[in-house]
Amino acid sequence: MKSPQATFDAKTIRKDFPALTYCNAQGDPIVYLDNSATTQKPQCVIDALEDFYLHKNANVHRGFYEWGNLATQAYEGARKTLADFIGAEHVEEIVFTRGATEAINCLAEIIAQHHFQKEDEVIVSELEHHSNMIPWQMQQIKRGIHVKGWQVDEDGNLDVKQLDQLLTPKTKLLAVTHVSNVVGTTPDLKNIITQAHANGTMVLIDASQAVAHLPIDVKTLDCDFLVGSGHKMYGPMGSGFFYGKKELLEALPPYHGGGTMMETVYIDSFTPAAIPSRFEAGTPPVADIIGLGEAIQYLRQFTWESLTAYEDKVIVYAEHALQSVPNLHIIGHPQKRTAVISFNIEGIHPHDVATVVNDHNIALRAGFHCCQPLMRRLKCNGGVVRASFGLYNTCEDVDRLVEALKNAQSLFKL
Amino acid sequence: MSLQEIYQEVLLAHNEHPNNFFEMPDAISKAHGHNPLCGDEISVFLNLEDNKLKQISFTGQSCAICKSSASLMTEYLKGKTADVAKKDALAFIELLNDPEKAVPENLGEMEALLGVRKFPARLKCATLAWHTFLKALEQPSKGETVSESCSCQHNCCC
């Protein structure tokens, strides 16, 4: 691999993403600001998918022929790439899934099976996406545990002092996001994890919104579990993963039953396979996982210093530029913001804002963003408009957005 | 497909000054409609006298399309018998859902809503009030219900 580039030039980078050349019927080039929902894919990721289906389409861990070997090598290569990317000590600490939602559902079930007793508690923060809430609520129904909410303040920040009050001897797990998909809040995880561990509480981090934007080192963080989504880090849809500390994963039971997850099978019993295969029953999305590995290689050509410096510059610019729009209110004021800004404009419903800016070929999202409890807390009962950024977004994209928002105001005679 | 097609002046005016936008405490029936994905929320209130819609009103927090559609709906249905109102509501939902369908001549201002037929992502915004009305009509009670389904034949219920 080439050594990472210390300089970062978004204009050059945009050429790696063929979808960004799209223009609408009026000739306006696309401004893609829905990266929290999914990112666009660089050509190398698209090529990796095509290469798999053209030259190594075989199932993994089974074939005795050339393609089978190639597919297995590429799939396991992606595991090694991902382990290095997030600083996992052991490659078998990485389990591939079809997305972050599947990862959390799997973990919630197997952690609950092994660790939870009736009346135990799980804390979830109000910043969480529904996918890091509902799987725990389902365990509440199934096993009689209690799900407790960790409130955010009006700025969308989490207060560590409050966590102290929530933790009890019965608190088995804390589920918290690395970056909020609505407010962009980036909690001080190191501090949070230390505090939870002091109480004997395990911590699961939802890094779906973080992996493409921030360096993650699971050893430094000392988190017990961490999940991520491939398609939000320039990889294919249908790819995701979880990390778990080796000794924790080794104690957990399998999730789905099927091929790969077992060692010996009798007509009435089986013995589970070692990790990570134990949690990867059935044919995995091989091409998508290989594509995810390719997306990580793509990201690794940049130093984190240059990438985060650039993305911070654009988000700070966006925050200032949006504030210049009359009657626009930015939702939440996180102590540290990553990649996302949500806002509302007085007198125009979020849907109408999104429809009007679409006319300018600007893609962004309006609504609840799978965060109904957070919307309620922030008193945004009609939802919010969200602009979420990727490494290819520029300050010019922000200018186009601001112009389109002013146009929405004039259309609505505001 | 231009913005003027969906945000016609008529709709923007109804959005700014909606008709029959109030809560009816003595309503004989009310229903609550909600699109959980995008957040449109609406309540429809009815009062029937001699099987006629004596009063119809709505409240809620919703986008311009949803709100103007609700406002136009209340005007369109007021005074009709329950049976006719139901038939007309179903026919209008049908019309919104099918861009090929010929536009009847007696729609008046409601014709402005048909621009939404070219914006499939906004169709549910336009139909929510109508589904909620049908729900209120089908369940004449004071209990609030979520309009998850109604008697229309489409998959457009929110």
Side-chain angles (χ1 to χ4, degrees):
Chain A
M1 199 177 77
K2 289 183 293 184
S3 62
Q5 296 167 17
T7 54
F8 191 90
D9 178 22
K11 292 220 163 60
T12 313
I13 285 157
R14 291 177 72 84
K15 294 181 185 151
D16 298 333
F17 292 82
L20 297 179
T21 59
Y22 167 72
C23 292
N24 67 4
Q26 288 82 48
D28 300 324
I30 180 94
V31 171
Y32 186 76
L33 290 173
D34 197 17
N35 292 283
S36 290
T38 194
T39 51
Q40 297 305 315
K41 321 305 173 200
Q43 185 66 52
C44 61
V45 169
I46 300 166
D47 289 345
L49 295 176
E50 188 183 75
D51 176 67
F52 176 79
Y53 288 117
L54 284 178
H55 303 300
K56 47 176 98 94
N57 179 35
N59 215 324
V60 285
H61 308 134
R62 292 159 174 78
F64 290 96
Y65 49 94
E66 192 182 339
W67 290 347
N69 291 335
L70 287 173
T72 306
Q73 267 170 23
Y75 182 78
E76 291 305 323
R79 199 188 306 276
K80 177 79 172 71
T81 302
L82 180 53
D84 291 345
F85 189 62
I86 62 165
E89 196 173 345
H90 309 282
V91 75
E92 62 271 30
E93 292 177 320
I94 303 295
V95 175
F96 287 125
T97 63
R98 286 154 192 83
T101 297
E102 188 185 66
I104 301 176
N105 276 277
C106 167
L107 282 169
E109 175 58 33
I110 62 182
I111 291 170
Q113 250 186 61
H114 187 70
H115 290 285
F116 294 175
Q117 307 288 326
K118 203 164 182 245
E119 307 299 334
D120 277 346
E121 296 164 357
V122 169
I123 297 173
V124 297
S125 95
E126 281 182 344
L127 291 175
E128 302 316 299
H129 189 281
H130 293 161
S131 61
N132 202 17
M133 275 180 190
I134 297 171
W136 305 109
Q137 294 171 358
M138 288 161 77
Q139 292 302 326
Q140 177 170 265
I141 297 164
K142 197 165 167 183
R143 296 177 205 277
I145 62 160
H146 299 290
V147 174
K148 303 203 300 192
W150 179 8
Q151 270 190 28
V152 295
D153 63 21
E154 58 189 16
D155 289 330
N157 289 306
L158 288 168
D159 180 1
V160 182
K161 283 195 209 88
Q162 268 209 18
L163 176 62
D164 219 19
Q165 291 164 8
L166 286 171
L167 289 165
T168 77
K170 288 188 174 299
T171 314
K172 288 284 169 68
L173 186 133
L174 164 67
V176 64
T177 193
H178 202 317
V179 171
S180 154
N181 70 317
V182 176
V183 187
T185 312
T186 313
D188 178 3
L189 289 182
K190 185 78 192 120
N191 216 343
I192 290 168
I193 292 166
T194 306
Q195 205 177 330
H197 282 173
N199 189 60
T201 300
M202 294 180 285
V203 182
L204 179 144
I205 304 297
D206 177 1
S208 301
Q209 299 296 338
V211 271
H213 305 285
L214 299 169
I216 292 176
D217 188 295
V218 289
K219 280 203 300 295
T220 313
L221 275 178
D222 196 30
C223 56
D224 301 290
F225 303 98
L226 180 138
V227 309
S229 160
H231 73 95
K232 296 187 203 290
M233 55 192 295
Y234 313 107
M237 289 189 175
S239 64
F241 68 90
F242 66 79
Y243 155 87
K245 281 180 179 165
K246 190 176 173 189
E247 64 277 17
L248 291 174
L249 288 184
E250 278 174 339
L252 293 174
Y255 179 48
H256 287 151
T260 309
M261 52 67 69
M262 79 304 150
E263 211 170 62
T264 313
V265 183
Y266 300 96
I267 194 69
D268 58 354
S269 66
F270 73 96
T271 51
I275 65 166
S277 300
R278 190 185 303 168
F279 312 112
E280 292 184 4
T283 298
V286 181
D288 302 322
I289 297 296
I290 293 169
L292 168 58
E294 194 59 39
I296 295 170
Q297 301 285 12
Y298 179 81
L299 272 171
R300 293 195 73 171
Q301 63 179 305
F302 315 109
T303 62
W304 278 114
E305 291 74 23
S306 65
L307 190 141
T308 54
Y310 177 76
E311 290 195 356
D312 284 350
K313 187 188 92 175
V314 176
I315 202 89
V316 167
Y317 182 84
E319 207 168 342
H320 277 103
L322 287 169
Q323 275 162 353
S324 77
V325 178
N327 300 318
L328 182 149
H329 304 287
I330 290 177
I331 309 300
H333 298 282
Q335 280 147 5
K336 178 173 165 36
R337 181 191 294 282
T338 304
V340 186
I341 303 184
S342 290
F343 57 89
N344 271 325
I345 296 181
E346 277 176 37
I348 318 182
H349 192 276
H351 294 178
D352 297 316
V353 174
T355 298
V356 176
V357 302
N358 172 58
D359 197 54
H360 297 246
N361 207 12
I362 298 173
L364 44 70
R365 186 159 157 200
F368 292 159
H369 312 284
C370 297
C371 288
Q372 289 185 20
L374 180 62
M375 292 288 121
R376 237 169 266 133
R377 175 69 59 202
L378 298 175
K379 301 187 177 66
C380 295
N381 295 333
V384 297
V385 184
R386 178 182 75 184
S388 55
F389 295 77
L391 49 69
Y392 35 63
N393 289 118
T394 61
C395 293
E396 288 82 60
D397 289 346
V398 175
D399 295 340
R400 290 259 316 271
L401 173 63
V402 166
E403 191 195 319
L405 294 173
K406 288 181 176 164
N407 184 268
Q409 288 177 319
S410 75
L411 183 80
F412 277 75
K413 303 185 175 53
L414 294 170
Chain B
M1 192 169 85
S2 78
L3 273 186
Q4 281 67 34
E5 281 182 78
I6 181 166
Y7 293 115
Q8 297 191 25
E9 289 292 333
V10 167
L11 302 190
L12 293 172
H14 275 271
N15 179 48
E16 216 180 330
H17 304 289
N19 295 328
N20 304 306
F21 187 65
F22 59 88
E23 194 177 327
M24 210 189 291
D26 59 342
I28 193 164
S29 178
K30 63 178 179 180
H32 182 69
H34 180 216
N35 181 343
L37 292 178
C38 62
D40 275 342
E41 217 167 331
I42 202 168
S43 293
V44 172
F45 305 86
L46 310 177
N47 255 338
L48 291 160
E49 207 176 80
D50 300 331
N51 202 35
K52 272 189 180 154
L53 281 169
K54 190 185 162 208
Q55 262 191 315
I56 167 168
S57 73
F58 77 104
T59 59
Q61 209 170 22
S62 53
C63 65
I65 303 302
C66 182
K67 203 174 191 176
S68 55
S69 180
S71 171
L72 286 160
M73 175 185 82
T74 57
E75 290 295 304
Y76 183 66
L77 298 179
K78 201 158 62 180
K80 293 184 177 173
T81 64
D83 287 350
V84 170
K86 182 179 174 179
K87 190 176 100 322
D88 286 356
L90 284 168
F92 193 66
I93 291 170
E94 181 81 35
L95 188 62
L96 283 170
N97 271 282
D98 184 0
E100 306 296 317
K101 220 174 166 69
V103 180
E105 278 174 9
N106 58 354
L107 283 180
E109 280 193 330
M110 288 223 308
E111 213 176 311
L113 281 169
L114 298 181
V116 87
R117 299 202 290 186
K118 292 184 184 165
F119 292 76
R122 304 299 303 274
L123 191 62
K124 286 186 177 190
C125 308
T127 55
L128 181 63
W130 299 80
H131 289 300
T132 311
F133 162 73
L134 287 169
K135 198 76 191 165
L137 200 62
E138 282 163 22
Q139 301 190 348
S141 73
K142 295 204 182 212
E144 194 149 324
T145 52
V146 177
S147 67
E148 279 164 345
S149 61
C150 69
S151 49
C152 91
Q153 300 300 307
H154 299 283
N155 191 23
C156 58
C157 293
C158 297

